[in-house]
Amino acid sequence: MRVGVLERYREWLPVDERTPPVSLLEGSTPLVPSRNIGPALGLERLYFKCEGLNPTGSFKDRGMVVAVAKAMEEGARVLVCASTGNTSASAAAYAASQRLRAIVVVPAGEIAMNKLSQALMYGAKVVALRGNFDEALRTVRELAAHYPVALVNSVNPYRLEGQKTAAFEIVDALGDAPDYLVLPVGNAGNITAYWKGFREYHQAGRCRVLPRMVGAQAEGAAPIVQGRVVEQPRTVASAIRIGNPASWEGATTARDQSGGLIDAVTDTEILQAQVLLASSEGLFAEPASCAPLALLVRLARQGRIDAQSTTVVVLTGNGLKDPDAALGNVEPPVELDGDARALAKALKL
Ligand code: AN7
């Protein structure tokens, strides 16, 4: 029977009998072997971890379930977060399921409409703050320091505890850790959490390999790559439009301890990777999730990935979250009168 993250990885999480059994049956997402991109790049073992199949359509649910359960255990009734979209959708959903209040603060005009619609439908109080994500995060951190609200951004360590379970699942599926784990880096919580998960499993003898952690930022929002805060982050990938990541040090530690790298890709590369992924694998991921594929394509073409290595690309969010960003790169539908002859002619059958 399917279970959520708290139940599946109970002994690896900071929970006990006092922790409420929160669950939307998150986690246990498919690890799909590449049928076409891997062979085209000369990579024999390429997999996609499809985190867009979580209950609210992104990996955030893994961490949110733990953060919400612990907040409830500690008596909280109000959750608050800043978000580029997916965290707000996740916080709002778990709050709804537990009858808690959720307040989500998003950068005004900067998040994908479908993510906003999720937060609103789940019944959160949505505040659109004039400013960028980094300013929204600063604001909610200050709010949580002075008022009785539980902050559920990834600065909350329980979020990272939950998110590390994705690393466990990959090892449990492959029988060992991959050689490369490639993922997007925004606020840098997820790369920090994966690295923690792999190290814990390694220490417990569950895997022999420790992966090289490969992070992708968008060129206009690449503070870790450039080694300095980006005041006005810009990219089509709104989920990772972040100029001052909260887990900056966690990301550089993961990169350096694992012998990995964090590099930037352009918006054009991101959107090309998105179309490639959807049209050649049948997997539709949001732009931020395609940044790591764009980086992998570049590294493979440069001959920097060994052909026999095992590589996992984490597809962090569902493509349906942000279709507007994608549709500029495909042919629009042809409009026709409804008869078969006209259809056959248009299709050159
Ligand atoms: C699809 O929702 O920061 O490096 O507020 O939604 O752990 O921040 C989202 C981030 C990658 C980056 N992919 O992860 C938010 C938010 C998707 C995302 C990231 C995000 P982190």
Side-chain angles (χ1 to χ4, degrees), residues 57-60 81-89 105 115 133 153-154 159-160 163 183-192 238-242 245 247 286-289 314-318 321:
S58 86
F59 73 97
K60 302 288 182 182
C81 68
S83 179
T84 58
N86 282 326
T87 299
S88 67
V105 180
K115 300 177 187 178
F133 168 81
N153 278 106
S154 58
R159 279 277 310 279
L160 304 190
Q163 284 173 212
L183 80 175
V185 176
N187 215 20
N190 211 29
I191 190 170
T192 306
S238 59
I240 52 171
R241 197 179 285 150
I242 294 175
S247 298
E286 69 170 281
S289 306
V314 184
L315 302 178
T316 48
N318 198 300
K321 292 268 194 178

Side-chain angles (χ1 to χ4, degrees), residues 204-222:
R206 298 281 182 118
C207 54
R208 287 187 305 117
V209 174
L210 272 174
R212 289 178 193 271
M213 303 294 290
V214 178
Q217 298 205 290
E219 200 170 71

Side-chain angles (χ1 to χ4, degrees), residues 22-58:
V22 182
S23 170
L24 287 174
L25 301 188
E26 62 291 319
S28 302
T29 56
L31 185 66
V32 177
S34 170
R35 293 187 66 88
N36 297 303
I37 296 175
L41 293 175
L43 304 178
E44 289 172 24
R45 284 184 288 274
L46 173 63
Y47 297 86
F48 298 102
K49 180 68 171 161
C50 296
E51 291 289 279
L53 292 171
N54 274 295
T56 76
S58 86

Side-chain angles (χ1 to χ4, degrees), residues 94-177:
Y94 285 89
S97 83
Q98 298 300 318
R99 300 187 169 282
L100 304 174
R101 264 184 84 193
I103 300 163
V104 307
V105 180
V106 299
E110 298 260 336
I111 80 165
M113 175 59 76
N114 292 2
K115 300 177 187 178
L116 186 62
S117 73
Q118 285 182 287
L120 292 168
M121 287 303 295
Y122 293 133
K125 175 74 184 169
V126 178
V127 180
L129 206 69
R130 286 180 215 105
N132 59 32
F133 168 81
D134 303 286
E135 290 161 327
L137 181 59
R138 204 184 317 132
T139 306
V140 295
R141 288 180 88 157
E142 202 177 316
L143 185 81
H146 295 104
Y147 296 87
V149 294
L151 184 64
V152 294
N153 278 106
S154 58
V155 294
N156 176 331
Y158 296 127
R159 279 277 310 279
L160 304 190
E161 289 297 313
Q163 284 173 212
K164 78 185 178 189
T165 61
F168 297 164
E169 285 179 17
I170 291 170
V171 175
D172 290 343
L174 295 176
D176 203 342

